Every structure is written in structure tokens, then in C-alpha cells.
Amino acid sequence: MALKLIVTGGAGYVGSVCAAKLLEAGHEVVVVDDLSTGHADAVPEDARFVEGDAAEATASLLGEGFDGVLHFAAKSLVGESMSDPGKYWRGNVFTAIRLLDAMREHGTPRLVFSSTAATYGEPESSPIRETAPTRPTNTYGASKLAIDHAITSYARAHRLAAVSLRYFNVAGAYGLFGERHTTETHLIPLVLQVATGDRERVQIFGDDYPTDDGTAVRDYIHVADLADAHLLALQHAVAGEHRIYNLGNGTGFSVRQVIETCREVTGHEIPAATAPRRAGDPAVLVAASDRAREELGWKPERADLHGIVGDAWRFTQERRGV
Ligand code: UFG
């Protein structure tokens, strides 16, 4: 069934890939983005684009009658969330509450929300299930967790069909859509900047973690597999329920393994230097995604790290006109 949907943050990395996949699947998409971190030319051609605040612009559109909202728009820099927390409580939490109120007012039935592994904080055990304790170690994770709680109560009280997807480490690219943050903090794009010559070397934040090679381990998930989960979430959302799913491949790769894979994919030497640990970084974050597989029928098709890095590299080179 074709749905009429609003995608907030559809000019950003994950939002643009999702918007593209929703359009491919035959849905009607309106992208709302204030372009604070997104790019107008990342909005897929077949989407209608409204530039504006995620809550305000969405509220004024909802009267047209929509089947659902996919809410990607958010602030997502962990370091900044600690130095300027108000930006995250206002920009993430307050915006989401206003969005929920507008959806309630207009009777919009479905919500898919971008939550994060950062809601769990330092895990007690690995891999992380949805039943694990949520003790975020930074304001970014805390803001997303607060929104998850708000969604639960709105879903129950107002019969909203809601799904939160807790992303682990998103990477890779899909066609014309990929990662291009002005302030880049993520490992794979930073390593690829060394391969393109835009950066001299990559820093390894800590080599004294209790892991095989001493560097931190993460679960890298291809952005296109992640987008597929959003389409499935829309189909499986149930009125009055808020379901939460972890999304990762269930395999961890260390910072050194990621750098080595980037060397193999790009053929560049990629100098690396050890630096102190980054504050608030857990040693290991790996997802148990059994719930998404069982309940949504989600099957990641691009779990191979070489493939993920390969797609990110192709996107990086195409953007540079190589
Ligand atoms: N890292 C380096 N050098 C770098 C950049 C990163 O060693 O230059 C390390 C980090 O310390 C970490 C790993 O590479 O151990 C991955 O770091 P990323 O910044 O790519 O991603 P994170 O694991 O910090 O991602 C977390 C959560 C996500 C959340 C994101 C917010 O896992 O759920 O922060 O940006 F969305």
C-alpha cells in the first residue's frame, strides 16, 4: 500500500537514503529539513521539499492528511551534547514533543523514530538486547532516550503506531546518497579523508581497551540495510504500541580492523597514530538484532565490512569528481 509520508531530516545522511528507498517503494514523500546540517541537493528528486523546522513545518503540513512521519531530524554530535546540552534538550527533545503534539492533533497514525545505541551507554553484556538497561553516558543519548519515553506514553494514550529504531554504527552509501557532514566525527569517513589526501593521518582514540587489539569495537551497519528496516517498521507498526528495535549486524570490528579494511579497499597507506581515548566512548558496542529479524522480517544484505567501506569509498570519490 502506497503511503503519504513526511520525512524530517530527509536532507541528511540516513534521512536521504530512507527517502530515496521510500520513493522507490512507491510511497509519496515530503522532506522537511532546516538544512542546519543537511544539504538541499541530498533531497531525492522525486520528493517534495519543505525547508523549515522539523516540528513547525511538519505541524503546518499535517493538515493535508499524512499516513505517517519518519523523524530523523536531530542534533547528533556527542561532544557538542556535553558542552552545549541545551541545544540537545531543546533541539531534540522539545522538537520531538511538539511533533508528537501536532501528530496527535491531526490524527497522524504512524511514527518511525531514529533512536540510537547511545541510549544504552556502557553495556553490562554483549551483544546488546532491547531489554538491556538504558544508562546513556552523554546528553545526545539521554535526549534520544527521553524521546523514546515520550513516544511510549503518546502511543499508549493516543493510539499512535510507533517504532523506534536504535542504530548502531551506520556507514556506507546508497547511490547518490552518502555521508557528508560538515563537522565529521565518524570513523569511516574520517579514515577515507586520509585516503583522498584531505587529512594527513587518522587518530586511533585509545589502544588500551580490553579488546583483542586494544582498540574500541563497533557494529557497522550499511545505511541501505538500515533504510530497509524503516520501510518494514512502517508496515509492522501497531496502533497503541511503541516497539523498539536494535539495528546492527551482530559482529564487532575494532578501530584497527576498520582502518586495515579501508587500506585494502582504497589501496592507500593511511597513516594512523594512537591518541588518548575519547571521553564517553564504550569499549564494545555490538547489537543483538534478533527482535528486528523475527518481528519485522529484517534481513541485512550488506553486512560485509569490505562492501560497506567500498560503497562509502565509491561515494567519496564520486563526490570529489574522481
Ligand atoms: N574513532 C577513532 N578515531 C576517529 C574517530 C573515531 O579512533 O577519528 C573511534 C571512536 O573512538 C570509536 C569508533 O572509532 O571507538 C567509532 O566512532 P564513531 O565516532 O564513528 O561512532 P561512535 O561509536 O562514537 O557512535 C556513537 C553511537 C551511535 C551514535 C553516534 C553519534 O554508536 O549510536 O555515536 O554520532 F549515533
Side-chain angles (χ1 to χ4, degrees):
M1 186 185 48
L3 301 174
K4 190 172 168 188
L5 303 163
I6 292 179
V7 174
T8 75
Y13 173 39
V14 182
S16 64
V17 173
C18 261
K21 285 228 156 205
L22 288 165
L23 289 161
E24 271 172 35
H27 300 298
E28 188 181 331
V29 172
V30 179
V31 164
V32 171
D33 200 300
D34 66 3
L35 300 183
S36 56
T37 51
H39 309 272
D41 63 355
V43 177
E45 257 179 28
D46 295 335
R48 179 175 147 206
F49 176 44
V50 175
E51 185 177 341
D53 172 80
E56 214 175 286
T58 302
S60 52
L61 284 165
L62 284 176
E64 293 177 20
F66 281 86
D67 299 303
V69 175
L70 294 99
H71 182 41
F72 297 93
K75 303 286 165 212
S76 63
L77 298 173
V78 171
E80 181 188 63
S81 79
M82 301 306 279
S83 57
D84 189 3
K87 198 167 174 179
Y88 286 72
W89 293 112
R90 280 188 304 276
N92 290 355
V93 181
F94 187 42
T95 301
I97 306 299
R98 284 155 63 221
L99 181 69
L100 282 164
D101 282 334
M103 291 180 68
R104 179 193 168 195
E105 189 186 321
H106 293 283
T108 313
R110 292 177 195 82
L111 173 69
V112 178
F113 174 62
S114 304
S115 188
T116 169
T119 54
Y120 295 109
E122 184 77 53
E124 267 170 16
S125 60
S126 186
I128 304 173
R129 299 189 182 284
E130 292 83 355
T131 48
T134 41
R135 290 186 291 237
T137 52
N138 55 62
T139 306
Y140 165 67
S143 73
K144 290 280 183 170
L145 181 61
I147 298 168
D148 276 340
H149 286 309
I151 294 173
T152 302
S153 49
Y154 273 68
R156 286 187 189 143
H158 310 306
R159 305 272 314 143
L160 179 68
V163 176
S164 285
L165 300 175
R166 291 193 170 153
Y167 310 166
F168 281 62
N169 289 62
V170 190
Y174 181 67
L176 300 169
F177 310 102
E179 193 165 13
R180 47 185 177 119
H181 296 117
T182 311
T183 308
E184 191 53 77
T185 61
H186 291 139
L187 180 64
I188 292 176
L190 285 173
V191 178
L192 295 180
Q193 284 176 11
V194 182
T196 56
D198 290 334
R199 185 173 293 272
E200 214 171 296
R201 64 173 59 80
V202 63
Q203 290 187 305
I204 297 172
F205 296 146
D207 65 354
D208 57 350
Y209 283 103
T211 59
D212 287 349
D213 66 16
T215 67
V217 168
R218 295 289 182 273
D219 183 340
Y220 294 88
I221 169 173
H222 196 293
V223 66
D225 284 337
L226 185 76
D228 288 342
H230 291 72
L231 274 76
L232 292 165
L234 274 173
Q235 282 170 26
H236 289 83
V238 176
E241 289 185 25
H242 177 211
R243 298 188 174 178
I244 296 179
Y245 298 101
N246 288 348
L247 295 176
N249 288 309
T251 310
F253 293 94
S254 71
V255 173
R256 283 197 202 284
Q257 284 176 312
V258 169
I259 296 171
E260 196 47 47
T261 304
C262 292
R263 288 181 179 129
E264 287 164 20
V265 167
T266 63
H268 287 70
E269 187 191 347
I270 309 185
T274 306
R277 289 184 182 192
R278 195 170 62 177
D281 273 350
V284 179
L285 285 178
V286 175
S289 294
D290 312 58
R291 191 187 276 182
R293 289 166 190 267
E294 283 158 25
E295 293 184 15
L296 301 178
W298 181 63
K299 278 192 228 71
E301 284 166 7
R302 305 165 185 85
D304 172 56
L305 187 63
H306 277 85
I308 294 175
V309 171
D311 283 353
W313 180 231
R314 178 196 45 73
F315 174 78
T316 306
Q317 286 183 303
E318 280 169 11
R319 292 280 322 156
R320 291 170 55 87
V322 176

